[in-house]
Amino acid sequence: MNTLLVVVGAGLIASGGLLALLASRWPRWATGIASGTTVLGCGLGLVPALRVLLGATGEEVRLRWSVPNGDFLVAMDALSAFFLVAIFSLCALAAIYGVEYLQTYRKHKSLGPPWFFFNMLVASMVLVVIARNAVLFLVAWEIMSLASFFLVTFEHEDEGVGRAGWTYLVATHLGTAFLLALFVLLGEGSGSMDFVGFGLAEHPVPRHASLLFVLAVVGFGTKAGFVPFHVWLPEAHPAAPSHVSAVMSGVMIKTGIYGLLRTLTFLGTPPAWWGWLLIAIGLVSGILGVLFALAQHDLKRLLAYHSVENIGIIALGVGVGLLGLSLQSAPMIVLGFGGGLLHVLNHACFKGLLFLGAGAVLHGAGTREIDHLGGLLRRMPWTGWTFLVGAAAISGLPPLNGFVSELLVYLGGLEGVRSASTSHMPILVSVVAGLALIGGLAMACFAKAFGIVFLGEPRSSKAANSHECGWCMRLPMVILAMACAAIGVLGPLMVRLLVPVIALVTGMPDEGVRATTASPCTILGAVVGASVALLLLTVGLVILRKWLLSGQTVSRTVTWDCGYAQPTPRMQYTASSFAQPLTRFFQAFLRPRISLVRPVDTFPASASLATHTDDVFREKVYSPVFRGVARVVSGLRWFQHGRVQIYVLYIALTLLALLLWKLD
Amino acid sequence: MRIASLCQLLLALVLAPLLPGVINKVKAFVAGRTGPPIVQLYHDMFKLLGKGAVYSETTTSVFRFAPLAGLAAVIVALTLLPIGSVRALLAFPGDLVLLAYLLGLMRFLTVIGALDTGSSFEGMGASREVQFSALAEPVLMLTMVALARQADNLSLSGIYPAITGNTWVQAGPALAMISAALLAVSLAENARIPVDDPNTHLELTMIHEVMVLDFSGPDLAFIHYAAALKLWVFGSLLVGLCLPLRTGQALADVGAFLAGMFLFATVIGIIESTMARLRLLRVPQMLVGAGAIAIVALVLVLR
């Protein structure tokens, strides 16, 4: 019954999308149908997903499907249920948000197609995590990629958007090619494309286990945004409408993590180097992600790079867990996988929230350029305060949820440092030191993002005339902000919820995992104690100051300006100047382009400074490679004449060749 | 035991403002001046608490909220610190991460409080603060990792009692390097020379003082107090490491600890009297150097 409900929910969402497409001419109806069915379908699916996570079983559902090797086989276990909870919750909120957000485009665009693709995206994500047949999985995967491609190119009139869309389409298909190879190799052993047969446990020698692992890391890592396969991410996420960016960043890229974890259940006990590889990827993604984020001036692009960073933290957790599996250290397994998985959910909460907040800024002020904003907290208090919660959470600050999952990964690394042999020490120490560096840089970046956008004085008339969004957009942000706080103080409970998921991924018995989670639960309990103390103390201090200031004169005046007579808002520190010391320190990695026109002569006429930070991998790795490919391929152009007769000749020659080949 | 833990928290809360007093006295002594009394900060705070406040028209509630939550964060951080063999009020494996992140929370609040004023001075200070702290954080974590491996424990209250005179005999060079790295982090995190000059208030060279330019009255008192408590946090981390006198008697331990804190303040005073502030571009190099020392120490511990 549980799985069936989820399938029905997904079907409802998909058919709502179709109806919305048919109702394109009546935007109000299209919006109502699509978002209504999404909320309804998500609600319908959320209940069984939670039930399965709490211990119920999700039965197999097999429908007739006439695709060779394919089978419409779906089922739900704890791992699927966990990802479903994230998908359903965030997508429902994004659908509510989208109702108001897309209104702006009503004048010059049909709202049917974006809603159709949004609903297809949601439904296909659901199908991806419940599919139990490789062909069905790949079909769902492809629908997911295409639906999100059309959403990314929603504003295709802009030149940059088109480029972003193509980058995304090429990247995601290159990734899918690796997945195809992965599933063919997996299916080769068992002779069936059903996931049940993939478990290499039945085949004593996991022949290609390491090859399969690498294929999965590249294929799923492209979707997840591991560096160096991340190049599409900072292009595509900012281009999509903001509620879609939230869904893409919050849950769609997590399907890559899901796929990786699912593949791990097929591959048996990992050798230590798998853990090393994932930790290394996690470190590089985390550090480079946050460094590139620091150098951005575009709010949504900054957030997109932070997705790379957070995927890095998730990879660090999974890597620690894998290393724990090969070292047979139960605490490392549970802390690593537990931290990584919880960060999946946490990132869905705060990154969803931040993208929705960025959307509200774009909606209210009409620009995403950080250096043109400022002082929005007064004009958009709901957006501002919820954005602050998200910013603190993503920086991993207590008492919010980001800290809980990062602490688990830290503990996994520290446990390894304490107990593992010296040979694994370099990688484990870099987990801890790397997390600290990522944390410090993320804090710097979000102090910038929040501080420059929402605090100070408006830097342009757009910012000065910005307005708060309506309740349809506010409500999802408020709910997500509350979720960030709630997960922060419910840490022990969340870890208990994760027990069956960890057990499923690692193949450990439930009781074993539960026993091992006792210690992290106590630790998180103590953290909750500290958080409560923090809140009480803050409240106490607020009261104390109120009492101290009662009866005193409290006056307001201008900010201290050192006696300068005419300060203007443009003299404030900007995002670029705020990040400049760090970007210069790390310029070996970032390679910013700086064009500076110096003021000359006694009465300088004009001067300007522009900095731009391109993605190093895009500029230095992929662009040359693709240019080379294009050169080689254009050499084959003589092959195509556009004459039908020649094509018929090609067909005949091919047939002849095939016949000759089959002759002997 | 709980009572002892609570007492040491109270001790920190009461005595922390003495540390800047001692530092200033030492600096005055080296310079041949009389200097302000050791209890000067108490006078300042008392005076500020009795005053009204002036807020900038640009600021929002963030500005009013930041110093209070920052002070609360550092007080909670204090509950994680053991003194000698006395356990901390709150101790669990991994509390060293919470300690680092609570200090991070305090810094985040100070930074957004500074950005709330819209002043370019304060933006400048905030920008420098996040740069140096982002580089100092991994160093702090590396020293803690080295100590955790040395003591085979993940809790500060387990690590510090395990460090004794005997540990110094066995792993002296490693501990000395850890102390050096920790001292560098302390100087950077507490805005002391050679990273920041606590005496300059209106120059482009400073970091912490410029971020709090617009605070006044009780808020400023809270900020001064929080800064003193933060100095106390780093002082106790260093003193517990460098003066591992564990007599087993709580009173003697605490006495030795207090003497150590006095010594810590004196050392900072001497450093400040004998060194000039580094150029801003050199500060990251100093922190990276401290990180390298911490890594070498870690290698020695692992050996």
Side-chain angles (χ1 to χ4, degrees):
Chain A
M1 195 58 205
N2 286 329
T3 314
L4 202 62
L5 264 180
V6 171
V7 174
V8 170
L12 186 67
I13 297 170
S15 44
L18 267 176
L19 276 177
L21 189 63
L22 294 176
S24 290
R25 289 184 55 193
W26 305 280
R28 199 180 291 273
W29 278 98
T31 304
I33 293 169
S35 60
T37 49
T38 304
V39 173
L40 208 64
C42 288
L44 200 64
L46 195 57
V47 178
L50 282 172
R51 270 215 304 256
V52 169
L53 205 54
L54 290 171
T57 51
E59 78 287 2
E60 279 195 353
V61 176
R62 192 186 287 267
L63 303 176
R64 288 187 57 83
W65 204 35
S66 59
V67 172
N69 281 324
D71 216 347
F72 194 95
L73 177 63
V74 293
M76 188 163 50
D77 52 16
L79 182 61
S80 307
F82 175 73
F83 279 86
L84 280 179
V85 169
I87 292 173
F88 282 134
S89 320
L90 187 60
C91 290
L93 293 174
I96 298 172
Y97 182 95
V99 171
E100 187 182 333
Y101 185 78
L102 284 178
Q103 286 303 310
T104 333
Y105 299 96
R106 220 174 105 182
K107 299 264 162 52
H108 53 280
K109 267 186 179 298
S110 166
L111 294 190
W115 277 113
F116 168 69
F117 290 119
F118 179 79
N119 281 28
M120 293 315 280
L121 174 63
V122 178
S124 58
M125 281 193 295
V126 173
L127 199 54
V128 161
V129 295
I130 58 174
R132 288 296 179 274
N133 177 283
V135 178
L136 177 65
F137 179 91
L138 285 173
V139 168
W141 189 263
E142 189 59 27
I143 298 176
M144 182 174 84
S145 303
L146 286 179
S148 45
F149 164 74
F150 285 111
L151 287 166
V152 166
T153 51
F154 175 56
E155 291 175 78
H156 54 84
E157 304 86 2
D158 298 354
E159 187 203 355
V161 172
R163 196 180 86 136
W166 288 115
T167 311
Y168 174 48
L169 201 63
V170 170
T172 187
H173 281 104
L174 284 179
T176 312
F178 283 87
L179 294 186
L180 209 59
L182 168 75
F183 284 121
V184 166
L185 283 177
L186 275 172
E188 184 198 43
S190 66
S192 151
M193 286 310 240
D194 287 356
F195 283 2
V196 192
F198 285 174
L200 287 178
E202 293 161 23
H203 316 276
V205 189
R207 240 183 336 139
H208 322 291
S210 289
L211 172 67
L212 295 177
F213 176 73
V214 171
L215 284 175
V217 166
V218 178
F220 290 119
T222 308
K223 183 60 82 180
F226 289 162
V227 171
F229 317 119
H230 69 286
V231 277
W232 64 272
L233 206 150
E235 303 286 328
H237 286 204
S242 297
H243 64 297
V244 179
S245 315
V247 168
M248 284 177 73
S249 207
V251 287
M252 192 195 79
I253 59 172
K254 308 299 167 34
T255 57
I257 301 293
Y258 164 81
L260 190 60
L261 291 175
R262 180 64 73 191
T263 313
L264 286 176
T265 63
F266 305 145
L267 297 185
T269 313
W273 71 266
W274 293 8
W276 278 64
L277 178 69
L278 265 191
I279 291 176
I281 289 179
L283 278 173
V284 174
S285 306
I287 295 172
L288 285 185
V290 69
L291 280 180
F292 276 106
L294 259 170
Q296 303 307 316
H297 324 283
D298 178 328
L299 186 55
K300 283 180 78 174
R301 218 175 143 83
L302 178 148
L303 292 177
Y305 269 115
H306 268 285
S307 295
V308 177
E309 175 228 321
N310 280 281
I311 284 290
I313 294 176
I314 295 170
L316 278 180
V318 176
V320 169
L322 278 180
L323 199 55
L325 270 175
S326 80
L327 300 178
Q328 299 187 324
S329 153
M332 275 174 76
I333 300 174
V334 168
L335 290 167
F337 280 111
L341 281 166
L342 189 55
H343 206 72
V344 166
L345 186 64
N346 287 344
H347 183 243
C349 288
F350 51 65
K351 186 49 68 64
L353 167 60
L354 290 168
F355 262 119
L356 296 185
V361 168
L362 180 60
H363 185 261
T367 178
R368 328 189 286 228
E369 198 61 35
I370 300 177
D371 286 345
H372 293 171
L373 296 165
L376 292 193
L377 190 62
R378 287 170 175 284
R379 292 156 184 86
M380 310 175 68
W382 288 90
T383 308
W385 285 102
T386 49
F387 195 94
L388 176 59
V389 173
I394 199 172
S395 310
L397 297 176
L400 297 165
N401 60 352
F403 178 70
V404 176
S405 42
E406 282 188 36
L407 178 65
L408 290 178
V409 181
Y410 263 116
L411 284 170
L414 285 169
E415 180 59 38
V417 170
R418 193 182 65 77
S419 60
S421 66
T422 317
S423 57
H424 293 296
M425 224 28 72
I427 202 77
L428 287 166
V429 169
S430 35
V431 169
V432 179
L435 270 175
L437 182 63
I438 295 171
L441 291 172
M443 198 214 79
C445 192
F446 275 95
K448 160 184 131 171
F450 178 75
I452 306 294
V453 172
F454 289 98
L455 302 177
E457 294 287 344
R459 290 176 179 77
S460 69
S461 59
K462 279 180 177 171
N465 298 323
S466 60
H467 59 87
E468 180 63 294
C469 50
W471 275 106
C472 267
M473 284 168 72
R474 273 183 226 172
L475 186 72
M477 294 194 281
V478 172
I479 292 175
L480 284 170
M482 290 199 301
C484 285
I487 298 177
V489 292
L490 295 178
L493 198 70
M494 300 309 293
V495 171
R496 280 197 203 108
L497 268 182
L498 284 173
V499 167
V501 189
I502 300 170
L504 195 125
V505 174
T506 58
M508 281 168 74
D510 259 19
E511 294 75 44
V513 177
R514 201 178 305 276
T516 320
T517 52
S519 154
C521 282
T522 334
I523 292 172
L524 292 179
V527 172
V528 172
S531 306
V532 172
L534 185 67
L535 291 180
L536 289 180
L537 265 173
T538 312
V539 172
L541 285 169
V542 169
I543 295 170
L544 175 65
R545 185 181 56 188
K546 211 177 186 90
W547 177 73
L548 285 169
L549 284 180
S550 62
Q552 303 283 354
T553 47
V554 176
S555 52
R556 298 187 74 90
T557 177
V558 292
T559 295
W560 169 240
D561 50 9
C562 288
Y564 189 72
Q566 279 200 311
T568 77
R570 289 201 55 194
M571 288 167 62
Q572 292 175 97
Y573 242 48
T574 62
S576 316
S577 45
F578 185 81
Q580 190 258 356
L582 274 167
T583 48
R584 188 174 55 191
F585 186 71
F586 289 103
Q587 65 184 349
F589 302 107
L590 296 172
R591 303 186 174 275
R593 278 189 286 129
I594 300 171
S595 46
L596 170 65
V597 180
R598 290 182 185 281
V600 284
D601 297 339
T602 320
F603 300 102
S606 68
S608 72
L609 170 69
T611 61
H612 193 77
T613 308
D614 295 312
D615 196 288
V616 171
F617 291 91
R618 188 188 170 96
E619 297 303 314
K620 302 274 184 260
V621 182
Y622 291 99
S623 291
V625 168
F626 277 99
R627 270 200 299 275
V629 170
R631 233 191 344 266
V632 171
V633 174
S634 63
L636 295 174
R637 215 177 264 168
W638 60 269
F639 218 63
Q640 291 207 323
H641 299 269
R643 285 202 203 120
V644 181
Q645 296 91 326
I646 303 245
Y647 289 138
V648 174
L649 179 66
Y650 289 159
I651 294 171
L653 284 178
T654 314
L655 274 176
L656 195 64
L658 286 173
L659 280 173
L660 283 175
W661 178 49
K662 276 285 161 194
L663 215 57
D664 45 20
Chain B
M1 219 42 188
R2 282 277 146 165
I3 303 287
S5 308
L6 199 63
C7 285
Q8 78 184 28
L9 177 63
L10 291 178
L11 209 64
L13 292 177
V14 173
L15 294 183
L18 275 182
L19 290 181
V22 173
I23 294 175
N24 284 335
K25 202 73 184 171
V26 170
K27 283 166 80 173
F29 176 77
V30 173
R33 291 182 283 116
T34 320
I38 288 183
V39 291
Q40 182 63 43
L41 188 54
Y42 293 96
H43 290 303
D44 290 349
M45 275 163 43
F46 189 71
K47 185 180 73 186
L48 286 168
L49 287 175
K51 281 182 175 276
V54 182
Y55 292 104
S56 156
E57 279 154 3
T58 308
T59 58
T60 61
S61 323
V62 169
F63 184 80
R64 302 193 172 210
F65 174 74
L68 305 182
L71 178 57
V74 72
I75 292 177
V76 176
L78 275 172
T79 64
L80 300 168
L81 282 174
I83 291 186
S85 51
V86 183
R87 279 170 63 87
L89 208 54
L90 195 63
F92 55 88
D95 50 8
L96 41 96
V97 180
L98 181 61
L99 177 79
Y101 274 70
L102 280 169
L103 296 178
L105 174 65
M106 177 186 169
R107 185 185 314 126
F108 180 73
L109 290 163
T110 317
V111 166
I112 59 172
L115 288 174
D116 200 13
T117 60
S119 150
S120 40
F121 285 100
E122 283 161 69
M124 200 177 286
S127 159
R128 290 168 183 170
E129 170 87 359
V130 295
Q131 183 199 13
F132 298 156
S133 59
L135 297 175
E137 196 135 316
V139 185
L140 175 64
M141 210 49 96
L142 279 172
T143 60
M144 290 294 132
V145 166
L147 287 178
R149 173 82 183 188
Q150 172 70 35
D152 194 22
N153 199 307
L154 296 183
S155 166
L156 289 170
S157 298
I159 292 171
Y160 274 90
I163 300 170
T164 59
N166 209 12
T167 325
W168 273 89
V169 176
Q170 284 166 2
L175 291 193
M177 284 194 214
I178 294 173
S179 312
L182 206 50
L183 180 64
V185 174
S186 308
L187 294 175
E189 288 278 351
N190 290 295
R192 313 300 316 188
I193 290 176
V195 174
D196 185 10
D197 191 346
N199 286 336
T200 58
H201 275 270
L202 262 183
E203 286 163 38
L204 301 181
T205 53
M206 60 205 170
I207 305 164
H208 178 76
E209 287 294 328
V210 76
M211 283 199 295
V212 302
L213 264 183
D214 266 279
F215 288 98
S216 57
D219 292 318
L220 190 58
F222 290 148
I223 283 172
H224 284 324
Y225 188 44
L229 289 176
K230 191 175 175 187
L231 189 59
W232 183 277
V233 169
F234 280 94
S236 6
L237 288 179
L238 259 173
V239 169
L241 178 61
C242 297
L243 285 178
L245 293 172
R246 312 271 182 262
T247 57
Q249 279 193 312
L251 216 58
D253 277 7
V254 169
F257 171 78
L258 289 180
M261 288 302 265
F262 185 77
L263 200 65
F264 168 69
T266 314
V267 168
I268 290 191
I270 292 171
I271 291 175
E272 298 215 339
S273 313
T274 52
M275 277 186 86
R277 211 184 51 75
L278 285 176
R279 276 172 61 203
L280 280 173
L281 294 178
R282 296 263 175 252
V283 175
Q285 294 174 5
M286 177 187 115
L287 289 171
V288 171
I293 292 176
I295 289 173
V296 174
L298 195 59
V299 171
L300 286 179
V301 167
L302 290 174
R303 188 170 49 91

